[in-house]
């Protein structure tokens, strides 16, 4: 993708004359001003972008990667007893099967296959917001107690800039198994230093969701939003995936992630 196209995509109110810079109509001035592309992008431009994926591990191949009624990822009584945030993985095979544009205009078929939009709406200088092939156990074979053990994939923050804000809308179904159940959706988050050493692990939670009487066995769609700042080298190099904790057994059907970067 050229600089010209990448810039043009995000600056609707500008006219672009060449690849060396962009012409901005400045409020209060009769003279448009040229701003160098690289300086414009890296100096706090205020532009954002996003990506979406439905590539959750466990989606059934037998049903074209669509959760069947009553099926999903079990959050068990053992998980309840352990006060566990169950981390939900991504899978590259599911990504290739489900993250396919279903529209024709604009045509994004020639863009990199990095999400549902094929990278069309990504922020400038961000190659992807997901890593579908990442394997935690391969990178940390002797790790214990982080909560990421056994997980695959990650939300990829490596191309973000200091000062960016991360917003993740996590879409999922929950099927309560016991009345009066409270769940706590979160981003399970591990900061890492420049040598990829994990320095601190914690849940970035949103508001809890309560399922009262008459909810057992029913399927409820949730679309929760979780935000985080990106202000240091350990944030840019962080590992993160969505997670859910519950005070009773439930069935989880993870559906999609809309990851937005705000500058």
């Amino acid at each position: 993708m050229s600089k010209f196209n990448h810039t043009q995509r995000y600056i609707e109110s500008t006219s672009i004359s060449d690849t060396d810079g962009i012409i901005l109509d400045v409020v209060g001035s009769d003279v448009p001003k040229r701003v160098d592309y690289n300086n414009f992008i890296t100096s706090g431009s205020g532009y954002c972008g996003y990506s979406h994926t439905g590539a959750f591990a466990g989606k059934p191949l037998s049903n074209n990667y669509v959760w069947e009624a009553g099926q999903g990822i079990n959050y068990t009584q053992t998980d309840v007893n352990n006060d566990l945030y169950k981390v939900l993985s991504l899978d590259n095979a599911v990504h290739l099967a489900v993250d396919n544009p279903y529209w024709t205009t604009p045509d994004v078929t020639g863009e990199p296959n990095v999400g549902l939009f094929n990278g069309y709406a990504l922020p400038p200088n961000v190659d992807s917001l997901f890593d579908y092939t990442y394997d935690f156990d391969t990178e940390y074979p002797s790790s214990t107690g982080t909560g990421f053990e056994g997980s695959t994939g990650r939300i990829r923050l490596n191309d973000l800039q200091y000062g960016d804000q991360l917003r993740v809308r996590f879409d999922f179904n929950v099927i309560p198994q016991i009345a009066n159940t409270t769940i706590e959706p979160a981003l399970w988050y591990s900061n890492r230093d420049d040598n990829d050493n994990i320095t601190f692990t914690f849940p970035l939670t949103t508001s809890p969701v309560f399922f009262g009487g008459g909810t057992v066995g029913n399927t409820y769609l949730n679309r929760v939003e979780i935000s985080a700042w990106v202000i240091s080298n350990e944030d840019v190099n962080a590992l993160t995936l969505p997670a859910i904790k519950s005070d009773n057994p439930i069935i989880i059907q993870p559906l999609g992630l809309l990851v937005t970067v705000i500058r």
Side-chain angles (χ1 to χ4, degrees):
M1 183 187 300
S2 68
K3 287 183 179 180
F4 177 88
N5 289 331
H6 205 165
T7 306
Q8 186 181 37
R9 183 173 295 165
Y10 294 96
I11 306 171
E12 298 178 356
S13 63
T14 64
S15 58
I16 303 178
S17 59
D18 54 39
T19 60
D20 296 327
I22 54 179
I23 303 300
L24 298 179
D25 295 325
V26 181
V27 176
S29 173
D30 295 329
V31 181
K33 295 184 179 181
R34 179 181 297 277
V35 180
D36 176 72
Y37 172 88
N38 292 312
N39 288 339
F40 183 81
I41 293 300
T42 60
S43 61
S45 64
Y47 295 101
C48 64
Y50 54 85
S51 187
H52 183 280
T53 187
F56 279 104
K59 285 186 172 181
L61 171 61
S62 60
N63 198 42
N64 294 319
Y65 298 101
V66 176
W67 294 109
E68 299 184 68
Q71 303 297 311
I73 297 172
N74 290 311
Y75 191 98
T76 67
Q77 185 61 50
T78 299
D79 296 331
V80 174
N81 296 343
N82 290 331
D83 205 29
L84 177 72
Y85 278 95
K86 184 179 283 290
V87 173
L88 302 167
S89 292
L90 302 179
D91 183 281
N92 191 54
V94 181
H95 156 63
L96 296 175
V98 305
D99 288 337
N100 298 302
Y102 50 84
W103 60 90
T104 57
T105 303
D107 182 5
V108 298
T109 56
E111 302 292 346
N113 185 13
V114 295
L116 177 61
F117 314 128
N118 281 6
Y120 182 81
L122 285 172
N125 299 326
V126 174
D127 292 329
S128 178
L129 288 170
F130 304 107
D131 182 349
Y132 303 100
T133 61
Y134 179 78
D135 189 304
F136 181 86
D137 290 350
T138 297
E139 182 166 8
Y140 302 96
S142 60
S143 175
T144 59
T146 69
F148 281 108
E149 287 77 18
S151 68
T152 57
R154 63 186 177 111
I155 297 173
R156 184 178 181 274
L157 308 180
N158 300 80
D159 294 334
L160 271 57
Q161 301 175 4
Y162 302 145
D164 284 349
Q165 182 185 143
L166 177 71
R167 290 191 184 178
V168 178
R169 195 192 75 199
F170 176 25
D171 301 344
F172 60 95
N173 291 330
V174 163
I175 307 173
Q177 302 300 289
I178 297 175
N180 300 320
T181 291
T182 300
I183 67 168
E184 298 179 59
L187 289 179
W188 193 248
Y189 211 90
S190 281
N191 283 337
R192 301 190 299 176
D193 64 20
D194 292 336
N195 296 315
D196 292 338
N197 297 308
I198 293 175
T199 58
F200 190 55
T201 299
F202 53 97
L204 283 170
T205 60
T206 185
S207 300
V209 183
F210 177 73
F211 302 93
T215 63
V216 174
N218 297 329
T219 300
Y220 296 95
L221 173 63
N222 300 265
R223 306 175 81 195
V224 303
E225 186 173 276
I226 309 165
S227 62
W229 65 65
V230 179
I231 202 63
S232 73
N233 59 325
E234 292 197 3
D235 294 325
V236 171
N237 200 32
L239 298 176
T240 187
L241 279 170
I244 294 177
K245 184 173 77 168
S246 177
D247 62 357
N248 284 309
I250 57 173
I251 297 173
I252 306 165
Q253 296 176 334
L255 301 174
L257 290 171
L258 177 64
V259 177
T260 301
V261 176
I262 300 175
R263 292 183 174 156

